[in-house]
């Protein structure tokens, strides 16, 4: 169960009563990194270690490039280690 008051608005598409900070760690971290304001980022830092957040930044397929780049710079992560900074969004034209 999570503290609904601080972060519920960022989980509009799920039942926040069913969110578990351990089981749904990656989902929670991704959502707050992407959409959170400073008060939600403080909540994130209070509930998860830097290593947990770094692992999500490196492996996430859902955060956008701007968010990934910001957090990679924040944590001094090489862009080559961040999955969503490596993938191509535009495929080669088939014709």
């Amino acid at each position: 169960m999570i503290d609904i008051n601080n972060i519920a608005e960022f989980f509009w598409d799920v039942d926040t009563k069913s969110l578990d900070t351990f089981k749904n760690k990656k989902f929670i971290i991704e959502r707050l990194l992407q959409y959170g304001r400073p008060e939600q980022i403080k909540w994130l830092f209070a509930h998860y270690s830097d290593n947990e957040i770094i692992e999500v930044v490196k492996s996430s397929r859902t955060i956008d490039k701007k968010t990934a780049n910001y957090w990679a710079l924040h944590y001094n992560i090489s862009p080559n280690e961040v999955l969503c900074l490596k993938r191509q969004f535009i495929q080669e034209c088939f014709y």
Side-chain angles (χ1 to χ4, degrees), residues 55-84:
E55 190 55 41
V56 170
V57 171
K58 287 180 176 182
S59 66
S60 178
R61 294 175 183 264
T62 61
I63 59 176
D64 62 30
K65 285 186 173 190
K66 189 179 202 179
T67 300
N69 190 57
Y70 174 83
W71 289 106
L73 289 171
H74 177 84
Y75 283 112
N76 199 26
I77 305 168
S78 168
N80 293 330
E81 296 180 71
V82 180
L83 180 64
C84 67

Side-chain angles (χ1 to χ4, degrees), residues 25-26 29 33 44-45 47-59 74-75 77:
K25 171 175 54 177
K26 184 174 182 182
I29 293 172
L33 290 177
L44 188 69
F45 290 158
H47 288 80
Y48 298 104
S49 70
D50 285 346
N51 287 337
E52 291 172 309
I53 297 169
I54 288 168
E55 190 55 41
V56 170
V57 171
K58 287 180 176 182
S59 66
H74 177 84
Y75 283 112
I77 305 168

Side-chain angles (χ1 to χ4, degrees), residues 5-18:
N5 297 331
N6 287 334
I7 63 172
E9 68 185 279
F10 298 96
F11 299 95
W12 60 87
D13 55 342
V14 296
D15 177 15
T16 54
K17 292 177 182 148
S18 68

